[in-house]
């Protein structure tokens, strides 16, 4: 089994919602920070949502502020990204990652999933 595994992506129409799920194995250190990154073809991977895994420190990219929310179910080592009012610009491969420090830099995260595709189109 993968150390980190995302799911929940799909194809939706603008204005609809999706919940992305990120499951971390017991071998993953989830005591620091986690982040949701997204990447579309030909573009750099960008952090859209970052959170201390305790939830006390969260930061969202301006493009998703007020629409995306990180939450966690500690009993299952499962993290969520609730996405609402999805727009075509949100279309991307979404990745879940874990690291020790608050950062927007992918290099600061050392445990990654393989990604789940989100496509928003009319």
């Amino acid at each position: 089994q993968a150390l980190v595994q995302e799911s929940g992506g799909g194809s939706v129409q603008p204005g609809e919602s999706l919940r992305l799920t990120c499951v971390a194995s017991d071998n993953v250190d989830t005591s620091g920070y986690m982040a949701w990154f997204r990447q579309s073809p030909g573009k750099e991977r960008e952090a859209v949502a970052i959170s201390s895994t305790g939830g006390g420190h969260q930061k969202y990219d301006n493009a998703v502020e007020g629409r995306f929310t990180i939450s966690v179910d500690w009993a299952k080592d499962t993290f969520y990204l609730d996405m609402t009012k999805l727009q075509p610009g949100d279309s991307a491969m979404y990745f879940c990652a874990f690291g020790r420090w608050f950062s927007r830099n992918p290099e600061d995260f050392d445990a990654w999933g393989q990604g789940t595709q989100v496509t928003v189109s009319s």
Side-chain angles (χ1 to χ4, degrees):
Q1 298 182 9
L3 296 176
V4 180
Q5 185 171 350
E6 307 98 334
S7 62
S11 182
V12 299
Q13 295 184 337
E16 294 184 337
S17 301
L18 282 174
R19 165 173 271 195
L20 303 185
T21 298
C22 174
V23 180
S25 77
D26 291 340
N27 299 115
V28 175
D29 183 1
T30 59
S31 64
Y33 287 81
M34 70 87 59
W36 288 94
F37 289 81
R38 68 185 183 189
Q39 186 171 22
S40 56
K43 296 184 178 180
E44 296 291 325
R45 189 169 298 188
E46 63 176 356
V48 296
I50 307 168
S51 178
S52 62
T53 52
H57 184 194
Q58 295 187 329
K59 179 66 177 179
Y60 298 89
D61 185 84
N62 288 339
V64 306
E65 179 72 39
R67 298 190 297 116
F68 290 12
T69 304
I70 292 175
S71 61
V72 59
D73 182 346
W74 278 114
K76 299 179 179 179
D77 270 348
T78 299
F79 298 79
Y80 304 97
L81 182 66
D82 288 304
M83 306 184 294
T84 66
K85 299 180 180 179
L86 285 162
Q87 305 166 9
D90 297 319
S91 296
M93 184 73 74
Y94 282 74
F95 300 88
C96 175
F98 295 87
R100 293 184 298 171
W101 320 111
F102 179 89
S103 177
R104 293 181 179 273
N105 189 342
E107 295 182 354
D108 291 325
F109 295 83
D110 51 21
W112 292 80
Q114 294 299 306
T116 184
Q117 180 68 42
V118 173
T119 302
V120 186
S121 62
S122 299

mmCIF file of all heavy atoms in Angstrom, residues 77-117:
data_model
loop_
_atom_site.group_PDB
_atom_site.id
_atom_site.type_symbol
_atom_site.label_atom_id
_atom_site.label_comp_id
_atom_site.label_asym_id
_atom_site.label_seq_id
_atom_site.Cartn_x
_atom_site.Cartn_y
_atom_site.Cartn_z
ATOM 1 N N ASP A 77 -6.479 8.704 10.568
ATOM 2 C CA ASP A 77 -5.347 9.333 9.878
ATOM 3 C C ASP A 77 -5.753 9.752 8.470
ATOM 4 O O ASP A 77 -5.042 9.498 7.491
ATOM 5 C CB ASP A 77 -4.138 8.398 9.838
ATOM 6 C CG ASP A 77 -3.227 8.565 11.045
ATOM 7 O OD1 ASP A 77 -3.405 9.540 11.795
ATOM 8 O OD2 ASP A 77 -2.340 7.717 11.240
ATOM 9 N N THR A 78 -6.910 10.384 8.395
ATOM 10 C CA THR A 78 -7.478 10.774 7.124
ATOM 11 C C THR A 78 -7.708 12.283 7.102
ATOM 12 O O THR A 78 -8.276 12.846 8.044
ATOM 13 C CB THR A 78 -8.800 10.044 6.870
ATOM 14 O OG1 THR A 78 -8.555 8.635 6.826
ATOM 15 C CG2 THR A 78 -9.415 10.479 5.552
ATOM 16 N N PHE A 79 -7.274 12.913 6.024
ATOM 17 C CA PHE A 79 -7.390 14.347 5.849
ATOM 18 C C PHE A 79 -8.262 14.640 4.645
ATOM 19 O O PHE A 79 -8.270 13.885 3.674
ATOM 20 C CB PHE A 79 -6.003 14.978 5.675
ATOM 21 C CG PHE A 79 -5.109 14.788 6.867
ATOM 22 C CD1 PHE A 79 -4.457 13.584 7.067
ATOM 23 C CD2 PHE A 79 -4.939 15.802 7.787
ATOM 24 C CE1 PHE A 79 -3.648 13.393 8.164
ATOM 25 C CE2 PHE A 79 -4.122 15.625 8.898
ATOM 26 C CZ PHE A 79 -3.479 14.419 9.085
ATOM 27 N N TYR A 80 -8.967 15.751 4.710
ATOM 28 C CA TYR A 80 -9.932 16.075 3.679
ATOM 29 C C TYR A 80 -9.694 17.475 3.131
ATOM 30 O O TYR A 80 -9.206 18.367 3.817
ATOM 31 C CB TYR A 80 -11.361 16.005 4.230
ATOM 32 C CG TYR A 80 -11.713 14.682 4.840
ATOM 33 C CD1 TYR A 80 -11.628 14.486 6.212
ATOM 34 C CD2 TYR A 80 -12.137 13.623 4.046
ATOM 35 C CE1 TYR A 80 -11.953 13.270 6.781
ATOM 36 C CE2 TYR A 80 -12.467 12.404 4.600
ATOM 37 C CZ TYR A 80 -12.373 12.230 5.970
ATOM 38 O OH TYR A 80 -12.698 11.018 6.527
ATOM 39 N N LEU A 81 -10.040 17.644 1.892
ATOM 40 C CA LEU A 81 -10.137 18.966 1.291
ATOM 41 C C LEU A 81 -11.544 19.092 0.730
ATOM 42 O O LEU A 81 -11.875 18.454 -0.272
ATOM 43 C CB LEU A 81 -9.101 19.167 0.188
ATOM 44 C CG LEU A 81 -9.107 20.556 -0.454
ATOM 45 C CD1 LEU A 81 -8.669 21.610 0.564
ATOM 46 C CD2 LEU A 81 -8.213 20.594 -1.687
ATOM 47 N N ASP A 82 -12.356 19.878 1.412
ATOM 48 C CA ASP A 82 -13.701 20.144 0.939
ATOM 49 C C ASP A 82 -13.659 21.332 -0.004
ATOM 50 O O ASP A 82 -13.239 22.424 0.383
ATOM 51 C CB ASP A 82 -14.640 20.416 2.113
ATOM 52 C CG ASP A 82 -14.941 19.172 2.909
ATOM 53 O OD1 ASP A 82 -15.413 18.184 2.305
ATOM 54 O OD2 ASP A 82 -14.713 19.177 4.136
ATOM 55 N N MET A 83 -14.081 21.119 -1.216
ATOM 56 C CA MET A 83 -14.031 22.129 -2.260
ATOM 57 C C MET A 83 -15.448 22.457 -2.682
ATOM 58 O O MET A 83 -16.212 21.562 -3.045
ATOM 59 C CB MET A 83 -13.221 21.636 -3.460
ATOM 60 C CG MET A 83 -11.823 21.144 -3.108
ATOM 61 S SD MET A 83 -10.868 20.680 -4.575
ATOM 62 C CE MET A 83 -11.827 19.263 -5.136
ATOM 63 N N THR A 84 -15.788 23.724 -2.630
ATOM 64 C CA THR A 84 -17.110 24.184 -3.029
ATOM 65 C C THR A 84 -16.987 25.232 -4.119
ATOM 66 O O THR A 84 -15.928 25.819 -4.333
ATOM 67 C CB THR A 84 -17.886 24.763 -1.837
ATOM 68 O OG1 THR A 84 -17.248 25.958 -1.372
ATOM 69 C CG2 THR A 84 -17.960 23.765 -0.697
ATOM 70 N N LYS A 85 -18.089 25.466 -4.788
ATOM 71 C CA LYS A 85 -18.147 26.470 -5.855
ATOM 72 C C LYS A 85 -16.972 26.314 -6.814
ATOM 73 O O LYS A 85 -16.276 27.283 -7.147
ATOM 74 C CB LYS A 85 -18.190 27.877 -5.262
ATOM 75 C CG LYS A 85 -19.400 28.124 -4.376
ATOM 76 C CD LYS A 85 -19.401 29.529 -3.803
ATOM 77 C CE LYS A 85 -20.618 29.768 -2.925
ATOM 78 N NZ LYS A 85 -20.615 31.123 -2.339
ATOM 79 N N LEU A 86 -16.773 25.105 -7.252
ATOM 80 C CA LEU A 86 -15.638 24.813 -8.121
ATOM 81 C C LEU A 86 -15.745 25.560 -9.442
ATOM 82 O O LEU A 86 -16.840 25.765 -9.979
ATOM 83 C CB LEU A 86 -15.540 23.310 -8.369
ATOM 84 C CG LEU A 86 -14.988 22.520 -7.177
ATOM 85 C CD1 LEU A 86 -15.312 21.043 -7.312
ATOM 86 C CD2 LEU A 86 -13.476 22.730 -7.069
ATOM 87 N N GLN A 87 -14.593 25.966 -9.941
ATOM 88 C CA GLN A 87 -14.483 26.740 -11.164
ATOM 89 C C GLN A 87 -13.576 26.004 -12.142
ATOM 90 O O GLN A 87 -12.758 25.181 -11.737
ATOM 91 C CB GLN A 87 -13.898 28.125 -10.866
ATOM 92 C CG GLN A 87 -14.652 28.912 -9.818
ATOM 93 C CD GLN A 87 -13.866 30.110 -9.305
ATOM 94 O OE1 GLN A 87 -12.822 30.458 -9.850
ATOM 95 N NE2 GLN A 87 -14.377 30.749 -8.267
ATOM 96 N N PRO A 88 -13.690 26.302 -13.436
ATOM 97 C CA PRO A 88 -12.785 25.664 -14.400
ATOM 98 C C PRO A 88 -11.315 25.840 -14.049
ATOM 99 O O PRO A 88 -10.508 24.942 -14.304
ATOM 100 C CB PRO A 88 -13.144 26.357 -15.721
ATOM 101 C CG PRO A 88 -14.587 26.706 -15.557
ATOM 102 C CD PRO A 88 -14.729 27.103 -14.109
ATOM 103 N N GLY A 89 -10.951 26.985 -13.457
ATOM 104 C CA GLY A 89 -9.577 27.218 -13.062
ATOM 105 C C GLY A 89 -9.084 26.307 -11.957
ATOM 106 O O GLY A 89 -7.877 26.249 -11.706
ATOM 107 N N ASP A 90 -9.984 25.596 -11.298
ATOM 108 C CA ASP A 90 -9.596 24.642 -10.266
ATOM 109 C C ASP A 90 -9.195 23.296 -10.850
ATOM 110 O O ASP A 90 -8.723 22.428 -10.107
ATOM 111 C CB ASP A 90 -10.738 24.438 -9.273
ATOM 112 C CG ASP A 90 -11.095 25.700 -8.515
ATOM 113 O OD1 ASP A 90 -10.169 26.436 -8.115
ATOM 114 O OD2 ASP A 90 -12.304 25.948 -8.315
ATOM 115 N N SER A 91 -9.387 23.098 -12.127
ATOM 116 C CA SER A 91 -9.038 21.831 -12.759
ATOM 117 C C SER A 91 -7.542 21.585 -12.645
ATOM 118 O O SER A 91 -6.732 22.439 -13.030
ATOM 119 C CB SER A 91 -9.457 21.829 -14.227
ATOM 120 O OG SER A 91 -10.862 21.935 -14.358
ATOM 121 N N ALA A 92 -7.167 20.440 -12.109
ATOM 122 C CA ALA A 92 -5.762 20.110 -11.914
ATOM 123 C C ALA A 92 -5.664 18.724 -11.304
ATOM 124 O O ALA A 92 -6.658 18.147 -10.866
ATOM 125 C CB ALA A 92 -5.077 21.125 -10.996
ATOM 126 N N MET A 93 -4.438 18.205 -11.267
ATOM 127 C CA MET A 93 -4.147 17.050 -10.449
ATOM 128 C C MET A 93 -3.867 17.553 -9.039
ATOM 129 O O MET A 93 -3.025 18.439 -8.844
ATOM 130 C CB MET A 93 -2.938 16.291 -10.992
ATOM 131 C CG MET A 93 -2.630 15.000 -10.246
ATOM 132 S SD MET A 93 -3.815 13.675 -10.612
ATOM 133 C CE MET A 93 -3.294 13.235 -12.272
ATOM 134 N N TYR A 94 -4.567 17.004 -8.065
ATOM 135 C CA TYR A 94 -4.421 17.427 -6.679
ATOM 136 C C TYR A 94 -3.620 16.390 -5.900
ATOM 137 O O TYR A 94 -3.880 15.186 -6.006
ATOM 138 C CB TYR A 94 -5.785 17.632 -6.030
ATOM 139 C CG TYR A 94 -6.442 18.934 -6.428
ATOM 140 C CD1 TYR A 94 -6.991 19.094 -7.694
ATOM 141 C CD2 TYR A 94 -6.493 20.006 -5.545
ATOM 142 C CE1 TYR A 94 -7.574 20.288 -8.072
ATOM 143 C CE2 TYR A 94 -7.077 21.200 -5.908
ATOM 144 C CZ TYR A 94 -7.619 21.342 -7.168
ATOM 145 O OH TYR A 94 -8.201 22.536 -7.531
ATOM 146 N N PHE A 95 -2.659 16.878 -5.119
ATOM 147 C CA PHE A 95 -1.770 16.033 -4.342
ATOM 148 C C PHE A 95 -1.866 16.378 -2.865
ATOM 149 O O PHE A 95 -1.958 17.549 -2.496
ATOM 150 C CB PHE A 95 -0.308 16.213 -4.778
ATOM 151 C CG PHE A 95 -0.044 15.877 -6.206
ATOM 152 C CD1 PHE A 95 -0.196 16.828 -7.193
ATOM 153 C CD2 PHE A 95 0.375 14.606 -6.565
ATOM 154 C CE1 PHE A 95 0.056 16.530 -8.521
ATOM 155 C CE2 PHE A 95 0.632 14.295 -7.883
ATOM 156 C CZ PHE A 95 0.470 15.260 -8.860
ATOM 157 N N CYS A 96 -1.796 15.374 -2.034
ATOM 158 C CA CYS A 96 -1.701 15.525 -0.597
ATOM 159 C C CYS A 96 -0.256 15.281 -0.178
ATOM 160 O O CYS A 96 0.388 14.361 -0.685
ATOM 161 C CB CYS A 96 -2.636 14.525 0.091
ATOM 162 S SG CYS A 96 -2.547 14.490 1.882
ATOM 163 N N ALA A 97 0.252 16.101 0.740
ATOM 164 C CA ALA A 97 1.638 15.964 1.168
ATOM 165 C C ALA A 97 1.782 16.320 2.637
ATOM 166 O O ALA A 97 0.990 17.098 3.180
ATOM 167 C CB ALA A 97 2.551 16.859 0.322
ATOM 168 N N PHE A 98 2.825 15.770 3.263
ATOM 169 C CA PHE A 98 3.095 16.004 4.681
ATOM 170 C C PHE A 98 4.530 16.459 4.872
ATOM 171 O O PHE A 98 5.441 15.992 4.180
ATOM 172 C CB PHE A 98 2.842 14.736 5.498
ATOM 173 C CG PHE A 98 1.411 14.304 5.504
ATOM 174 C CD1 PHE A 98 0.914 13.494 4.498
ATOM 175 C CD2 PHE A 98 0.555 14.721 6.509
ATOM 176 C CE1 PHE A 98 -0.405 13.103 4.487
ATOM 177 C CE2 PHE A 98 -0.770 14.342 6.517
ATOM 178 C CZ PHE A 98 -1.256 13.536 5.505
ATOM 179 N N GLY A 99 4.741 17.369 5.818
ATOM 180 C CA GLY A 99 6.066 17.863 6.130
ATOM 181 C C GLY A 99 6.138 18.367 7.551
ATOM 182 O O GLY A 99 5.141 18.363 8.285
ATOM 183 N N ARG A 100 7.324 18.819 7.951
ATOM 184 C CA ARG A 100 7.536 19.260 9.327
ATOM 185 C C ARG A 100 7.172 20.716 9.553
ATOM 186 O O ARG A 100 6.807 21.090 10.673
ATOM 187 C CB ARG A 100 9.003 19.056 9.724
ATOM 188 C CG ARG A 100 9.430 17.608 9.818
ATOM 189 C CD ARG A 100 10.856 17.522 10.315
ATOM 190 N NE ARG A 100 11.778 18.167 9.393
ATOM 191 C CZ ARG A 100 13.051 18.395 9.652
ATOM 192 N NH1 ARG A 100 13.566 18.041 10.821
ATOM 193 N NH2 ARG A 100 13.825 18.980 8.749
ATOM 194 N N TRP A 101 7.295 21.549 8.514
ATOM 195 C CA TRP A 101 7.185 22.988 8.689
ATOM 196 C C TRP A 101 6.119 23.573 7.801
ATOM 197 O O TRP A 101 5.754 23.007 6.772
ATOM 198 C CB TRP A 101 8.523 23.674 8.375
ATOM 199 C CG TRP A 101 9.718 22.935 8.866
ATOM 200 C CD1 TRP A 101 10.660 22.302 8.115
ATOM 201 C CD2 TRP A 101 10.087 22.736 10.237
ATOM 202 N NE1 TRP A 101 11.599 21.728 8.918
ATOM 203 C CE2 TRP A 101 11.277 21.979 10.230
ATOM 204 C CE3 TRP A 101 9.529 23.125 11.452
ATOM 205 C CZ2 TRP A 101 11.919 21.605 11.399
ATOM 206 C CZ3 TRP A 101 10.158 22.743 12.619
ATOM 207 C CH2 TRP A 101 11.345 21.998 12.584
ATOM 208 N N PHE A 102 5.630 24.731 8.182
ATOM 209 C CA PHE A 102 4.727 25.485 7.331
ATOM 210 C C PHE A 102 5.500 25.969 6.113
ATOM 211 O O PHE A 102 6.521 26.651 6.254
ATOM 212 C CB PHE A 102 4.138 26.678 8.076
ATOM 213 C CG PHE A 102 3.218 27.511 7.241
ATOM 214 C CD1 PHE A 102 1.861 27.219 7.177
ATOM 215 C CD2 PHE A 102 3.690 28.590 6.497
ATOM 216 C CE1 PHE A 102 1.000 27.987 6.411
ATOM 217 C CE2 PHE A 102 2.839 29.362 5.727
ATOM 218 C CZ PHE A 102 1.489 29.055 5.685
ATOM 219 N N SER A 103 5.026 25.634 4.942
ATOM 220 C CA SER A 103 5.732 25.997 3.734
ATOM 221 C C SER A 103 4.813 25.879 2.535
ATOM 222 O O SER A 103 3.860 25.090 2.542
ATOM 223 C CB SER A 103 6.955 25.093 3.531
ATOM 224 O OG SER A 103 7.622 25.393 2.319
ATOM 225 N N ARG A 104 5.107 26.682 1.516
ATOM 226 C CA ARG A 104 4.456 26.559 0.221
ATOM 227 C C ARG A 104 5.348 25.840 -0.787
ATOM 228 O O ARG A 104 4.939 25.637 -1.932
ATOM 229 C CB ARG A 104 4.093 27.940 -0.323
ATOM 230 C CG ARG A 104 3.027 28.678 0.476
ATOM 231 C CD ARG A 104 2.711 30.023 -0.160
ATOM 232 N NE ARG A 104 1.676 30.736 0.582
ATOM 233 C CZ ARG A 104 0.372 30.583 0.382
ATOM 234 N NH1 ARG A 104 -0.069 29.733 -0.535
ATOM 235 N NH2 ARG A 104 -0.490 31.279 1.106
ATOM 236 N N ASN A 105 6.536 25.475 -0.370
ATOM 237 C CA ASN A 105 7.531 24.865 -1.243
ATOM 238 C C ASN A 105 7.368 23.353 -1.253
ATOM 239 O O ASN A 105 7.487 22.712 -0.204
ATOM 240 C CB ASN A 105 8.928 25.243 -0.767
ATOM 241 C CG ASN A 105 10.007 24.835 -1.739
ATOM 242 O OD1 ASN A 105 9.806 24.000 -2.615
ATOM 243 N ND2 ASN A 105 11.181 25.428 -1.581
ATOM 244 N N PRO A 106 7.121 22.749 -2.405
ATOM 245 C CA PRO A 106 6.966 21.288 -2.439
ATOM 246 C C PRO A 106 8.163 20.539 -1.882
ATOM 247 O O PRO A 106 7.999 19.430 -1.362
ATOM 248 C CB PRO A 106 6.784 20.992 -3.941
ATOM 249 C CG PRO A 106 6.228 22.252 -4.509
ATOM 250 C CD PRO A 106 6.882 23.359 -3.725
ATOM 251 N N GLU A 107 9.362 21.131 -1.962
ATOM 252 C CA GLU A 107 10.557 20.458 -1.469
ATOM 253 C C GLU A 107 10.551 20.279 0.039
ATOM 254 O O GLU A 107 11.317 19.470 0.563
ATOM 255 C CB GLU A 107 11.810 21.229 -1.890
ATOM 256 C CG GLU A 107 12.022 21.259 -3.397
ATOM 257 C CD GLU A 107 13.282 21.992 -3.797
ATOM 258 O OE1 GLU A 107 13.937 22.573 -2.904
ATOM 259 O OE2 GLU A 107 13.611 21.980 -4.988
ATOM 260 N N ASP A 108 9.710 21.023 0.745
ATOM 261 C CA ASP A 108 9.641 20.914 2.197
ATOM 262 C C ASP A 108 8.673 19.837 2.659
ATOM 263 O O ASP A 108 8.489 19.650 3.864
ATOM 264 C CB ASP A 108 9.245 22.255 2.812
ATOM 265 C CG ASP A 108 10.334 23.305 2.668
ATOM 266 O OD1 ASP A 108 11.518 22.936 2.736
ATOM 267 O OD2 ASP A 108 9.989 24.490 2.500
ATOM 268 N N PHE A 109 8.075 19.129 1.731
ATOM 269 C CA PHE A 109 7.160 18.052 2.062
ATOM 270 C C PHE A 109 7.754 16.736 1.580
ATOM 271 O O PHE A 109 8.168 16.623 0.417
ATOM 272 C CB PHE A 109 5.791 18.299 1.429
ATOM 273 C CG PHE A 109 5.107 19.516 1.990
ATOM 274 C CD1 PHE A 109 5.404 20.776 1.508
ATOM 275 C CD2 PHE A 109 4.183 19.392 3.013
ATOM 276 C CE1 PHE A 109 4.789 21.902 2.037
ATOM 277 C CE2 PHE A 109 3.558 20.507 3.543
ATOM 278 C CZ PHE A 109 3.868 21.764 3.058
ATOM 279 N N ASP A 110 7.805 15.751 2.463
ATOM 280 C CA ASP A 110 8.555 14.538 2.169
ATOM 281 C C ASP A 110 7.709 13.282 2.016
ATOM 282 O O ASP A 110 8.248 12.204 1.782
ATOM 283 C CB ASP A 110 9.631 14.298 3.236
ATOM 284 C CG ASP A 110 9.090 14.350 4.647
ATOM 285 O OD1 ASP A 110 7.872 14.177 4.836
ATOM 286 O OD2 ASP A 110 9.888 14.566 5.581
ATOM 287 N N ALA A 111 6.416 13.404 2.148
ATOM 288 C CA ALA A 111 5.534 12.263 1.930
ATOM 289 C C ALA A 111 4.384 12.703 1.038
ATOM 290 O O ALA A 111 3.619 13.597 1.414
ATOM 291 C CB ALA A 111 5.012 11.711 3.254
ATOM 292 N N TRP A 112 4.263 12.078 -0.101
ATOM 293 C CA TRP A 112 3.308 12.488 -1.134
ATOM 294 C C TRP A 112 2.437 11.337 -1.605
ATOM 295 O O TRP A 112 2.876 10.181 -1.657
ATOM 296 C CB TRP A 112 4.050 13.028 -2.359
ATOM 297 C CG TRP A 112 4.763 14.315 -2.164
ATOM 298 C CD1 TRP A 112 5.984 14.497 -1.582
ATOM 299 C CD2 TRP A 112 4.311 15.605 -2.557
ATOM 300 N NE1 TRP A 112 6.323 15.832 -1.592
ATOM 301 C CE2 TRP A 112 5.311 16.533 -2.189
ATOM 302 C CE3 TRP A 112 3.161 16.071 -3.194
ATOM 303 C CZ2 TRP A 112 5.194 17.900 -2.435
ATOM 304 C CZ3 TRP A 112 3.029 17.421 -3.439
ATOM 305 C CH2 TRP A 112 4.049 18.324 -3.059
ATOM 306 N N GLY A 113 1.226 11.688 -1.973
ATOM 307 C CA GLY A 113 0.395 10.751 -2.695
ATOM 308 C C GLY A 113 0.634 10.862 -4.183
ATOM 309 O O GLY A 113 1.413 11.700 -4.662
ATOM 310 N N GLN A 114 -0.039 10.025 -4.946
ATOM 311 C CA GLN A 114 0.132 9.994 -6.392
ATOM 312 C C GLN A 114 -0.786 10.962 -7.127
ATOM 313 O O GLN A 114 -0.616 11.170 -8.327
ATOM 314 C CB GLN A 114 -0.084 8.576 -6.913
ATOM 315 C CG GLN A 114 0.971 7.589 -6.441
ATOM 316 C CD GLN A 114 2.358 7.986 -6.903
ATOM 317 O OE1 GLN A 114 2.590 8.190 -8.101
ATOM 318 N NE2 GLN A 114 3.280 8.104 -5.959
ATOM 319 N N GLY A 115 -1.733 11.551 -6.425
ATOM 320 C CA GLY A 115 -2.592 12.554 -7.015
ATOM 321 C C GLY A 115 -3.957 12.015 -7.399
ATOM 322 O O GLY A 115 -4.138 10.831 -7.652
ATOM 323 N N THR A 116 -4.917 12.926 -7.439
ATOM 324 C CA THR A 116 -6.256 12.614 -7.905
ATOM 325 C C THR A 116 -6.722 13.759 -8.797
ATOM 326 O O THR A 116 -6.538 14.930 -8.473
ATOM 327 C CB THR A 116 -7.222 12.378 -6.724
ATOM 328 O OG1 THR A 116 -8.505 11.974 -7.214
ATOM 329 C CG2 THR A 116 -7.382 13.627 -5.863
ATOM 330 N N GLN A 117 -7.289 13.422 -9.932
ATOM 331 C CA GLN A 117 -7.619 14.417 -10.946
ATOM 332 C C GLN A 117 -8.966 15.056 -10.670
ATOM 333 O O GLN A 117 -9.957 14.372 -10.399
ATOM 334 C CB GLN A 117 -7.634 13.772 -12.334
ATOM 335 C CG GLN A 117 -7.972 14.730 -13.471
ATOM 336 C CD GLN A 117 -6.895 15.765 -13.702
ATOM 337 O OE1 GLN A 117 -5.709 15.440 -13.678
ATOM 338 N NE2 GLN A 117 -7.298 17.016 -13.920
#
